[in-house]
Amino acid sequence: MVATVMLEPAGRCCWDEPVRIAVRGLAPGQPVTLRASLRDEKGALFRAHARYCADASGLLDLERTPALGGSFAGLEPMGLFWALEPEKPFWRFLKRDVQTPFAVELEVLDGHEPGTQRLLARAVHERDFLAPGVRREPVRAGRVRATLFLPPGSGPFPGIIDIYDIGGGLLEYRASLLAGHGFATLALAFCNFEDLPKKFDTIDLDYFEEALCYMLQHTQIKGPGIGLLGISLGADICLSMASFLKNVSATVSINGSGFIANKAVRYKENSIPQLGHDLRRVKVTFSGLLDVVDVRNDIVGGCENPCMIPIEKAQGPILFIVGQDDHNWRSEVYAQIASERLQAHGKEKPQIISYPGTGHYIEPPYFPMCPASLHTLLEKPVIWGGEPRAHSKAQVDAWKQILTFFTKHLGPSPKL
Ligand SMILES: CCCCCCCCCCCCCC(=O)SCCNC(=O)CCNC(=O)[C@H](O)C(C)(C)COP(=O)(O)OP(=O)(O)OC[C@H]1O[C@@H](n2cnc3c(N)ncnc32)[C@H](O)[C@@H]1OP(=O)(O)O
């Protein structure tokens, strides 16, 4: 009998959805190796593999059969995706063009010995970043440089602004996936994109207010408030927006700090000074990579430190998503200080969801973890923390929590 790869859903699905992989037509108990590979838009190759044995009927179902070793071990139906590793060192898994899918090649090889394996079956699985009917609209309005993703239908939809980290550019993949869940989502650039400054010294909230106004005046976006989602520096920008600007209904901080790091924040007559850092606290790991986790200056005065964002002024609730092994900075400690500050100012204790074994780049489900990559400021590779299996589980759960939080506080999307 000929071995065949079966995929469910067949052919394609969105990147944040699980796919069921099974192989039919193997010999009873046959040892096989499954291999996954994909190339990103810059041509970088990502690969993962795992060894399995078919069951007594010659079927291998990744939802029922544990991997015996390889890039991962145990019952991990999506392991061939989250365990993908770049061939090029320190290469981050990114989707640059969300209008095309990632094509993942799946191969079934005979046996467990590398090098001598015969190809038994092969399939290509396409993983999309735009769900059917999601519209992508480039936004060049006033100073705002962004892309808006609108769910199918005429709305009005709950709206979210999505902001990434200090690397800048315009990363659209998280916003496009969120639109597939019914949220009109604006992927917002703030530096290193088109005519925006390559580098910046101050975070000027006027720019972000302009983006917020763009969302609020959009006929297909539901008011009276907008949700904010950010990671790293993007999370701190979101917390600053929520603290100073009106009409922010809910904020999610993914590994933000609640402090102004090395770029002062300005809004009209208000400004928050930077905490600063000391490069003498950069550590060199055993592997020779840099670890910047303790580089920031101490927080004198705890939650009343003047470099802290006045999050008690935020109108809407804040959800803190935290990786306990974040090596960019101590996100868990910072979330606790944020909670203390809110309570010290008579606000409710915020929801903090803290994940063990989880590093800095908490991305949408099934994104391979980025253990280390080039730091924009240091221009050298730094470690980001995280253990791939735990990090992957955190990403799946965090995504669900984020969707639930925004649905609760922005309201559900209209039914199609
Ligand atoms: C002084 C420091 C202190 C430390 C901490 C202080 C305290 C904290 C203060 C701070 C708080 C802040 C808190 C925080 O936020 S901390 C988070 C810090 N984050 C970063 O440092 C972001 C790092 N930047 C990136 O990863 C890039 O911007 C990305 C990858 C997003 C692409 O960006 P862009 O689209 O602009 O790239 P390009 O096409 O023009 O290529 C440019 C170069 O980038 C390289 N590249 C491209 N793609 C990848 C990839 N997939 N994987 C790896 N590298 C990649 C490649 O070398 C390429 O050059 P070339 O090979 O083409 O010549």
Side-chain angles (χ1 to χ4, degrees):
M1 202 172 157
V2 180
T4 327
V5 180
M6 294 178 298
L7 301 172
E8 194 188 310
R12 64 196 309 153
C13 68
C14 276
W15 184 276
D16 59 339
E17 287 172 49
V19 61
R20 183 167 190 172
I21 303 172
V23 186
R24 197 171 47 193
L26 298 169
Q30 183 174 353
V32 289
T33 303
L34 261 59
R35 207 158 62 184
S37 59
L38 71 78
R39 271 186 201 280
D40 73 9
E41 285 109 336
K42 291 237 176 189
L45 181 66
F46 287 78
R47 279 193 291 211
H49 74 279
R51 295 184 284 276
Y52 294 93
C53 284
D55 70 11
S57 70
L59 177 74
L60 169 62
D61 180 347
L62 268 55
E63 282 194 355
R64 291 191 292 139
T65 310
L68 303 171
S71 306
F72 57 92
L75 191 63
E76 294 293 341
M78 289 299 284
L80 290 168
F81 298 91
W82 62 251
L84 285 165
E85 279 187 70
E87 197 181 40
K88 212 170 164 173
F90 317 128
W91 202 251
R92 202 171 136 194
F93 186 88
L94 293 174
K95 186 73 176 99
R96 288 174 185 269
D97 176 6
V98 297
Q99 296 177 95
T100 58
F102 263 146
V104 185
E105 183 176 26
L106 296 164
E107 292 172 308
V108 184
L109 302 156
D110 194 14
H112 286 166
E113 294 306 316
T116 57
Q117 296 158 317
R118 191 165 54 94
L119 182 67
L120 299 175
R122 176 181 176 276
V124 175
H125 169 55
E126 293 198 321
R127 296 186 66 78
D128 288 308
F129 288 80
L130 275 186
V134 170
R135 291 157 291 160
R136 176 183 177 276
E137 294 183 357
V139 177
R140 305 290 182 270
R143 286 182 296 169
V144 176
R145 302 289 174 264
T147 306
L148 179 64
F149 293 93
L150 289 164
S154 56
F157 308 103
I160 297 173
I161 297 177
D162 183 18
I163 307 177
Y164 263 85
D165 63 12
I166 200 154
L170 183 56
L171 296 178
E172 299 182 345
Y173 54 84
R174 190 168 59 192
S176 67
L177 290 172
L178 280 172
H181 294 273
F183 297 99
T185 310
L186 187 79
L188 180 62
F190 61 93
C191 70
N192 191 22
F193 180 71
E194 294 186 351
D195 57 347
L196 294 173
K198 183 110 184 117
K199 294 204 160 109
F200 59 98
D201 291 324
T202 306
I203 297 165
D204 177 1
L205 286 189
D206 288 341
Y207 173 77
F208 298 92
E209 187 172 40
E210 220 173 301
L212 188 64
C213 291
Y214 172 84
M215 293 292 274
L216 289 165
Q217 56 74 43
H218 198 291
T219 51
Q220 289 188 53
I221 297 174
K222 191 161 78 174
I226 299 296
L228 304 177
L229 170 64
I231 184 165
S232 192
L233 175 68
D236 288 339
I237 293 175
C238 290
L239 291 172
S240 305
M241 290 171 74
S243 306
F244 289 111
L245 309 180
K246 291 195 176 67
N247 301 108
V248 174
S249 295
T251 304
V252 178
S253 156
I254 303 175
N255 281 331
S257 73
F259 284 84
I260 296 308
N262 66 338
K263 314 277 174 199
V265 161
R266 291 234 171 87
Y267 180 62
K268 304 205 190 298
E269 69 283 358
N270 302 294
S271 70
I272 311 174
Q274 43 181 290
L275 189 60
H277 58 268
D278 185 344
L279 289 181
R280 287 173 301 185
R281 286 195 292 264
V282 174
K283 292 178 272 192
V284 181
T285 64
F286 184 67
S287 57
L289 295 170
L290 301 184
D291 183 349
V292 296
V293 71
D294 287 323
V295 89
R296 298 223 296 183
N297 289 339
D298 289 343
I299 303 159
V300 179
C303 69
E304 294 303 336
N305 183 292
C307 303
M308 189 159 191
I309 302 165
I311 49 175
E312 68 282 3
K313 293 187 182 160
Q315 294 162 354
I318 302 170
L319 168 62
F320 292 91
I321 301 279
V322 168
Q324 286 176 15
D325 191 36
D326 184 357
H327 275 259
N328 181 60
W329 47 35
R330 299 200 180 270
S331 295
E332 198 181 25
V333 172
Y334 291 137
Q336 285 307 332
I337 297 174
S339 174
E340 281 165 28
R341 179 162 181 127
L342 288 171
Q343 291 174 82
H345 288 261
K347 295 280 178 150
E348 265 184 41
K349 196 171 172 177
Q351 190 182 359
I352 301 176
I353 307 177
S354 182
Y355 296 100
T358 302
H360 188 59
Y361 280 113
I362 302 180
E363 295 275 25
Y366 317 122
F367 266 62
M369 188 188 89
C370 179
S373 69
L374 214 64
H375 194 293
T376 300
L377 299 177
L378 281 177
E379 294 177 342
K380 290 196 178 120
V382 302
I383 56 163
W384 300 116
E387 181 279 309
R389 188 170 184 270
H391 190 96
S392 165
K393 300 227 173 312
Q395 289 186 161
V396 173
D397 187 72
W399 194 241
K400 282 191 203 131
Q401 301 278 1
I402 291 167
L403 295 174
T404 305
F405 178 80
F406 280 134
T407 303
K408 181 173 173 196
H409 299 289
L410 303 178
S413 192
K415 291 271 169 284
L416 302 180

